[in-house]
């Protein structure tokens, strides 16, 4: 599958570049094709996977908004928790439902490399993409 990355905010689109970046609203021209972007992160630092591959927990029994497809997708960056220091941190965590962008979390240094997406969805698959300022982009998927 084609992957395109926004050169302004780092957002990835699976498939063709969008007319406008759904995160930072930059025009299509700011997107660059980057089909091997995940493989490149693995190749650059194989030992880094344990601190970068997102761990996903799906909670279908959230209950905050009953009867309306209210699902929590809880994400932790790394089986070994990724550091969140000023010089080395997770810049964003993006959530996709069935390959379509849904939401972004931007943790700052000092908080945990983790977050929760509260979704309204009838989708079947969630994809989480995270970006480390040093080790690049990593992803994981889970069924909903
Ligand atoms: Fe890192």
């Amino acid at each position: 599958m084609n992957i395109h990355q926004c050169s302004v905010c780092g957002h990835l689109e699976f498939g063709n570049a969008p007319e406008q970046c759904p995160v930072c609203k930059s025009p299509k021209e700011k997107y660059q094709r980057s089909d091997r972007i995940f493989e490149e992160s693995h190749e650059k630092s194989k030992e880094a996977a344990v601190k970068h591959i997102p761990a996903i927990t799906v909670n279908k029994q959230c209950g905050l908004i009953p009867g309306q497809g209210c699902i929590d997708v809880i994400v932790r960056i790394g089986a070994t928790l990724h550091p969140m220091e000023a010089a080395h941190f997770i810049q964003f965590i993006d959530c996709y439902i069935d390959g379509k962008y849904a939401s972004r979390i931007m943790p700052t240094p000092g908080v945990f490399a983790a977050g929760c997406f509260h979704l309204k969805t009838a989708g079947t698959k969630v994809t989480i993409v995270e970006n480390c300022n040093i080790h690049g982009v990593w992803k994981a998927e889970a069924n909903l």
Side-chain angles (χ1 to χ4, degrees):
M1 175 186 274
N2 298 347
I3 300 175
H4 287 81
Q5 184 174 38
C6 177
S7 61
V8 175
C9 74
H11 176 69
L12 298 184
E13 280 282 313
F14 297 102
N16 296 328
E19 289 303 316
Q20 186 182 57
C21 177
V23 176
C24 73
K25 311 304 179 195
S26 291
K28 188 177 194 170
E29 297 70 46
K30 295 292 184 184
Y31 271 79
Q32 296 167 349
R33 191 161 173 179
S34 310
D35 294 355
R36 297 194 70 256
I37 195 163
F38 296 111
E39 288 86 345
E40 286 166 5
S41 295
H42 276 274
E43 289 162 8
K44 275 184 205 154
S45 45
K46 287 188 174 63
E47 71 290 345
V50 70
K51 285 188 183 173
H52 292 84
I53 294 175
I56 303 171
T57 302
V58 177
N59 177 13
K60 291 188 174 181
Q61 308 297 323
C62 167
L64 180 64
I65 306 167
Q68 295 194 42
C70 165
I71 295 175
D72 280 356
V73 173
I74 301 158
V75 180
R76 165 198 164 116
I77 304 305
T80 299
L81 190 63
H82 191 280
M84 288 295 284
E85 300 159 356
H88 182 200
F89 66 104
I90 302 303
Q91 296 175 304
F92 64 79
I93 306 169
D94 279 358
C95 175
Y96 303 74
I97 304 301
D98 294 335
K100 188 173 174 0
Y101 173 69
S103 186
R104 168 174 283 198
I105 290 172
M106 295 180 73
T108 57
V111 306
F112 288 124
C116 179
F117 296 96
H118 188 81
L119 305 174
K120 178 180 184 180
T121 181
T124 60
K125 187 179 77 175
V126 62
T127 303
I128 299 294
V129 172
E130 66 92 347
N131 186 83
C132 166
N133 71 318
I134 291 178
H135 298 103
V137 293
W138 303 73
K139 74 167 177 167
E141 294 177 341
N143 292 324
L144 291 175

